[in-house]
Amino acid sequence: MTMGKPITKAVIPAAGLGTRFLPATKAMPKEMLPVVDRPAIQYVVEEAVKSGLTDLLMITGRNKRSLEDHFDREPGLERALELKGDKDRLDAVQHASQLGPIHYVRQGEAKGLGHAVLCARQHVGNEPFAVLLGDDLIDESENLLTTMMEVQQKTGGSVIALIEVDPSQTSAYGCADITAIEGEDYVRVNSLVEKPAAGTAPSNLAVIGRYVLHPRVFGVLEETGPGSGGEIQLTDALQTLAASDGEGSGVYGVVFKGRRYDTGDKLSYLKAVITLASERVEFGEDLKTWMKGFVS
Ligand code: G1P
């Protein structure tokens, strides 16, 4: 067991084109789609901050300026709300700009998640770091990322988060072949495959959008050619690390059984919005009453 360098950096890839949400995302980043009253990306930034990560790097691209604006101050709006005495909205507006500082780097070309993570190399340097994908929202009552960071510190390797999915769903994810480790609540990842064809998945354990990576992944990503969908896949780089020896090798998995909301496609997004809205004290009960009537 090695105690690694403490983890302070979070990389948040947000350069995707959002094609699954067209035309809504024609002129607006998919990360800005509201989940109740906050853009989806804010939940992810809040999770990173809650997990103790203090150095946030967002990987953006063309047409993503509203992401930077959202996490910036807005003095004109703040003054107007202050004059009106609208403290709740003022707090909400200021909160988004108090999560940072957030650093930004552009991906330039949408060449895949692996390539997006590689864009973080200079900023991250030679330290383990977290990666949070905006399509997955983890309930704020969960401690998934903290657990994963502990596993990284303990093992010195890279850590992924896995969920059990129905076998019919595996082709939408990266999938892992794992072995239990006696006495531990995390598992060893033997191999990984990105978006396996139907019927070929090594298990029904699917990779979700939280990673804690050893910086050795950068060197591997540099050597990783296009994979599934013609893109440079983070899963392929992790497969290489799972199969290598030496410092920074080894991939471990935390099997997550808690509450997660997928916002990556239209139907899951709608379910996420309704689930989170139904839990809001201000209007959750009204919404549920309305839904019962609506359904019948
Ligand atoms: C990415 C990863 C995939 C993972 C998924 C989780 O895929 O490549 O391994 O299972 O995120 O959300 P994407 O959904 O970006 O196609």
Side-chain angles (χ1 to χ4, degrees):
M1 299 289 172
T2 44
M3 271 309 283
K5 291 185 185 161
I7 302 163
T8 60
K9 291 179 178 167
V11 173
I12 303 176
L17 299 175
T19 37
R20 277 182 275 200
F21 284 92
L22 283 169
T25 48
K26 184 181 171 193
M28 162 188 152
K30 69 165 177 178
E31 294 80 8
M32 289 302 291
L33 288 171
V35 175
V36 191
D37 54 4
R38 279 178 280 167
I41 192 81
Q42 187 174 331
Y43 288 80
V44 175
V45 170
E46 283 172 358
E47 181 191 342
V49 171
K50 186 198 86 172
S51 308
L53 299 164
T54 50
D55 185 336
L56 311 178
L57 175 72
M58 212 172 271
I59 316 293
T60 68
R62 203 160 292 281
N63 301 328
K64 299 280 185 173
R65 223 194 76 186
S66 56
L67 293 176
E68 292 185 44
D69 288 343
H70 180 73
F71 293 104
D72 196 2
R73 297 285 307 271
E74 175 62 285
L77 177 61
E78 288 174 38
R79 249 193 319 277
L81 291 168
E82 219 170 279
L83 283 173
K84 276 200 201 161
D86 194 342
K87 194 171 173 324
D88 290 350
R89 291 199 179 90
L90 179 63
D91 287 349
V93 162
Q94 287 178 334
H95 174 67
S97 63
Q98 288 159 351
L99 293 162
I102 303 178
H103 305 267
Y104 298 89
V105 64
R106 283 197 183 211
Q107 190 180 3
E109 253 183 295
K111 292 206 281 189
L113 177 60
H115 179 256
V117 170
L118 189 51
C119 294
R121 184 176 200 167
Q122 194 178 21
H123 185 89
V124 169
N126 194 28
E127 305 171 15
F129 62 104
V131 175
L132 295 88
L133 306 189
D135 286 352
D136 285 308
L137 305 186
I138 304 295
D139 197 87
E140 59 183 12
S141 64
E142 307 286 351
N143 291 313
L144 173 62
L145 203 54
T146 322
T147 306
M148 293 172 73
M149 292 195 283
E150 285 163 10
V151 174
Q152 197 288 327
Q153 298 279 284
K154 222 167 150 179
T155 60
S158 291
V159 186
I160 59 175
L162 298 164
I163 55 163
E164 274 178 38
V165 298
D166 188 85
S168 66
Q169 303 281 299
T170 47
S171 58
Y173 295 92
C175 281
D177 174 50
I178 60 127
T179 310
I181 304 174
E182 214 189 304
E184 298 292 358
D185 46 14
Y186 56 90
V187 297
R188 174 176 294 281
V189 175
N190 306 316
S191 64
L192 283 159
V193 43
E194 178 69 8
K195 313 247 162 75
T200 67
S203 75
N204 66 338
L205 288 172
V207 178
I208 58 165
R210 297 293 178 275
Y211 307 80
V212 179
L213 303 176
H214 187 280
R216 189 168 157 192
V217 75
F218 292 126
V220 175
L221 280 169
E222 255 182 357
E223 303 293 315
T224 302
S228 168
E231 296 186 337
I232 297 171
Q233 296 292 350
L234 181 58
T235 304
D236 294 345
L238 290 170
Q239 159 61 25
T240 305
L241 283 178
S244 29
D245 300 316
E247 207 208 321
S249 63
V251 178
Y252 301 86
V254 171
V255 181
F256 181 60
K257 298 206 159 83
R259 305 206 323 159
R260 156 190 179 258
Y261 315 99
D262 180 3
T263 63
D265 64 77
K266 287 179 199 172
L267 181 59
S268 318
Y269 167 78
L270 289 170
K271 290 179 186 169
V273 172
I274 291 170
T275 309
L276 287 164
S278 70
E279 285 171 6
R280 293 288 288 263
V281 275
E282 316 95 285
F283 47 69
E285 287 311 313
D286 282 356
L287 177 65
K288 282 191 265 189
T289 308
W290 176 80
M291 280 195 297
K292 279 181 202 145
F294 177 74
V295 167
S296 61

